[in-house]
Amino acid sequence: MNGALLLVGSVILLYILFKRFLARLLVPSLLIFIALGICFGENGLLRIVFNDYQAVNVICSTCLIFIMFYGGFGTNIKAARPVLAQATVLSTLGVAGTAGAVGLFAHFALSLPWAESMLIGSVIASTDAASVFNVLRSQKLALKDHTDSLLELESGSNDPISYMLTTATLAILAGQQFSFPALLVRQLCLGALCGLAMGALAAWLLRQNLLTTQHSRTIFLFAVMLLAYALPTAVNGNGYLSVYLCGIWLGNTSLTQKKYLVHFFNVITDVAQVLIFFLLGLLVTPVELPAVLLPAVGIMVFLTLVARPAVTALLLAPFRPSLGQVGIVSWAGLRGAASIVFAISAVLSGAQTRYDLYNLVFCIVLLSISIQGTLLPWIARRLSMIDKNADVRKTFNDYQEESDISFVKIHLGTGHPWCGLPLCRLALPGDLLVVMIAREGDTILPGGDTILQPGDLLVLAARSFEDRENLCLREVAIDRSHKWAGQPLSQIPFARRQLVIMVRRGLDTMIPDGSTVLLPGDVVVLAETETAPAAV
């Protein structure tokens, strides 16, 4: 237990510390954690022997719930509406077509039995949301013709079909009697019904203001996510489809303080992705991979260059796509965590296969992420599919084009240069607005002709400062024991990346210079950047 916690804690800590560096890599950062898991494994540097498929299946399946929910929660239906039909076709018929094509290849090229061939095709039929989102966001790939929205929606919604095909194929291998149409209808209908019902009910409850704190709302949505998966699964419905649709409903609902929910699930999903890929790397035994390398390469090449392009071109043809869109959608069919999780489920079911299914699928996923994921930005440029005037973040619900509004107040003392002027004469920037004036106990909603008077208290609305990658603001409270107390700013050895931009003293706000002496009770506002000059 302690060893497992030590291992997981170390990996998460490494991810947090090196997140900015990983975002600059040309290869998908998730690939690094597969490699890290291999290094920790029995053939790696630390030689940790780990082969508990059951534990990995539970952990990764749980992590997949978070990834599916946040994939739906972050899907901007408004941005995706122009390609909703295409994404739906690809995530249903596209998955089935890909599974069938790969099954045919495995049967005739590798001489595998039909059931085993279809199992391989079913397991790797879906594209991976975590990998696609990771590449699009880290590389800032905004694509023409709403193609980025198409890829996000398809990759986030196609795992349920792959899961159903895998379940059906395993039943065939086990010699069970079942009706595939009945299975399909039950899985889809129960999954969709539960997901949409849970999303609608949760949104209604949140609007009733029954939960008074942001913490309680966050915990509430956490519980809703778990129930959205567990309830349909308990009645043989598709839990992954349910939790994805629940996420879409809630993500496209106007919720109070939604940004805090986004931050919470974004962090949890990041950790889930890292944990999945690390555990998958830890579980694999590298010395066993050469036995499945050739068939894995063959399936990967066929899948990437034949099956996916053929199915994509055929299904998108009625929508009259450009050749560039067909090309980029074909190449962006990244395989990932879901495929390996389904492979683990197959291994645990006792399915007998000629090749070790986990190792085979692991190699295919590794090749897909490393080759397709790395070359995706280059392919997009070669096909002239990058939209330089767009922002890929707008296809996600957690993107806010405008920062939240903050309010500031200005007291007009006698002699203030604004006194006696109408509001329309003030040279205020367009995004700074006087929204209220407090005057002698009265509240005034101002207009352009409102004359300002001494003693007025102006309330202005402005966009809040939003922390950027290389710039953030923080406050430092100065008490009597603080080492800066009593010193002028020019004598304080600030780091080169720190700049004092404001000092708040009581009710007054000062723009300081080098001679400003900090006093107990002051609040210093520091701007911290990687390149900021020293404070003066």
Side-chain angles (χ1 to χ4, degrees):
M1 176 66 176
N2 188 62
L5 292 176
L6 181 62
L7 194 60
V8 171
S10 300
V11 172
I12 294 175
L13 184 63
L14 288 173
Y15 169 69
I16 296 300
L17 292 176
F18 293 101
K19 184 175 182 179
R20 182 176 295 182
F21 167 75
L22 294 173
R24 298 173 181 172
L25 296 178
L26 295 178
V27 299
S29 60
L30 295 177
L31 191 64
I32 304 300
F33 290 94
I34 291 181
L36 190 62
I38 294 175
C39 289
F40 277 52
E42 60 181 294
N43 293 144
L45 298 176
L46 298 186
R47 299 189 177 278
I48 297 175
V49 178
F50 182 75
N51 55 6
D52 192 340
Y53 282 86
Q54 186 65 51
V56 172
N57 184 56
V58 172
I59 295 172
C60 291
S61 296
T62 303
C63 290
L64 203 56
I65 295 172
F66 287 96
I67 294 171
M68 292 294 294
F69 178 80
Y70 188 60
F73 195 81
T75 297
N76 189 332
I77 289 295
K78 182 179 179 180
R81 188 172 289 118
V83 291
L84 187 59
Q86 295 95 309
T88 302
V89 169
L90 286 176
S91 64
T92 53
L93 297 178
V95 173
T98 301
V102 173
L104 287 171
F105 175 81
H107 177 71
F108 289 106
L110 302 178
S111 300
L112 297 177
W114 275 113
E116 183 177 342
S117 299
M118 289 307 302
L119 177 60
I120 295 173
S122 300
V123 165
I124 65 169
S126 64
T127 57
D128 185 61
S131 302
V132 171
F133 291 3
N134 181 265
V135 173
L136 291 179
R137 286 192 169 191
S138 63
Q139 301 298 323
K140 296 181 174 60
L141 282 183
L143 303 175
K144 297 178 181 177
D145 305 325
H146 302 282
T147 306
D148 39 16
S149 293
L150 172 60
L151 293 174
E152 292 152 12
L153 194 58
E154 181 216 358
S155 62
S157 61
N158 60 12
D159 289 340
I161 300 297
S162 179
Y163 175 77
M164 283 189 292
L165 293 173
T166 302
T167 301
T169 310
L170 288 174
I172 293 173
L173 281 170
Q176 299 175 5
Q177 297 296 322
F178 72 100
S179 170
F180 183 74
L183 173 67
L184 183 66
V185 171
R186 184 173 66 250
Q187 287 265 311
L188 290 181
C189 290
L190 290 177
L193 181 62
C194 287
L196 295 176
M198 286 293 296
L201 179 60
W204 181 81
L205 289 172
L206 286 171
R207 287 194 294 267
Q208 305 312 304
N209 294 322
L210 301 175
L211 306 172
T212 57
T213 66
Q214 187 55 45
H215 295 88
S216 61
R217 284 189 285 268
T218 302
I219 295 172
F220 173 77
L221 276 195
F222 183 86
V224 167
M225 176 195 67
L226 297 180
L227 288 174
Y229 175 83
L231 287 179
T233 303
V235 292
N236 295 321
N238 194 301
Y240 292 119
L241 176 62
S242 174
V243 77
Y244 180 72
L245 292 178
C246 180
I248 286 182
W249 188 290
L250 289 168
N252 289 273
T253 298
S254 178
L255 301 176
T256 303
Q257 297 295 317
K258 186 176 180 180
K259 66 178 182 179
Y260 296 108
L261 299 173
V262 169
H263 292 164
F264 173 79
F265 284 105
N266 186 41
V267 171
I268 293 294
T269 303
D270 272 357
V271 173
Q273 291 173 359
V274 168
L275 192 57
I276 282 181
F277 282 92
F278 173 76
L279 286 176
L280 297 180
L282 184 65
L283 186 62
V284 76
T285 304
V287 295
E288 298 176 356
L289 296 182
V292 298
L293 186 57
L294 287 180
V297 171
I299 293 173
M300 165 63 186
V301 171
F302 176 81
L303 174 62
T304 305
L305 301 182
V306 180
R308 171 79 175 181
V311 170
T312 299
L314 180 64
L315 294 179
L316 292 185
F319 302 98
R320 300 183 181 278
S322 65
L323 290 177
Q325 186 176 46
V326 173
I328 198 67
V329 172
S330 300
W331 185 263
L334 306 180
R335 314 296 135 171
S339 295
I340 303 183
V341 171
F342 297 157
I344 293 175
S345 298
V347 171
L348 291 174
S349 72
Q352 299 299 314
T353 56
R354 179 184 303 177
Y355 298 107
D356 185 297
L357 187 62
Y358 178 80
N359 289 339
L360 179 68
V361 174
F362 180 88
C363 284
I364 294 172
V365 168
L366 195 62
L367 291 168
S368 177
I369 296 177
S370 58
I371 298 175
Q372 290 177 269
T374 302
L375 294 180
L376 182 57
W378 181 81
I379 294 291
R381 288 192 295 270
R382 293 289 295 177
L383 294 175
S384 300
M385 283 297 294
I386 295 180
D387 189 348
K388 297 182 180 179
N389 298 318
D391 190 337
V392 70
R393 295 176 299 171
K394 291 185 179 182
T395 65
F396 294 91
N397 266 326
D398 58 359
Y399 171 75
Q400 296 179 345
E401 188 170 14
E402 295 182 356
S403 302
D404 293 335
I405 299 299
S406 290
F407 297 96
V408 295
K409 60 183 181 181
I410 298 178
H411 184 265
L412 303 186
T414 303
H416 194 284
W418 289 1
C419 291
L421 296 177
L423 280 179
C424 61
R425 295 279 303 277
L426 301 184
L428 297 177
D431 53 1
L432 187 62
L433 180 67
V434 179
V435 295
M436 189 184 77
I437 298 176
R439 178 181 295 169
E440 298 179 350
D442 295 330
T443 299
I444 300 173
L445 297 179
D449 57 351
T450 301
I451 305 297
L452 301 180
Q453 301 178 9
D456 283 353
L457 180 67
L458 276 59
V459 178
L460 293 87
R463 296 176 184 174
S464 302
F465 175 80
E466 180 183 1
D467 286 355
R468 303 293 182 179
E469 179 181 358
N470 298 318
L471 174 63
C472 66
L473 299 182
R474 70 182 181 95
E475 295 183 347
V476 179
I478 308 298
D479 56 27
R480 294 185 181 278
S481 61
H482 199 284
K483 61 181 180 181
W484 294 353
Q487 295 193 50
L489 289 178
S490 59
Q491 301 299 316
I492 300 175
F494 294 105
R496 288 189 56 81
R497 61 187 181 88
Q498 293 179 324
L499 178 68
V500 177
I501 61 173
M502 188 178 74
V503 175
R504 191 165 65 244
R505 180 172 294 165
L507 298 178
D508 296 327
T509 299
M510 302 183 298
I511 304 300
D513 57 27
S515 62
T516 301
V517 178
L518 298 182
L519 303 178
D522 286 352
V523 176
V524 177
V525 180
L526 283 174
E528 294 187 342
T529 71
E530 292 184 352
T531 57
V536 294

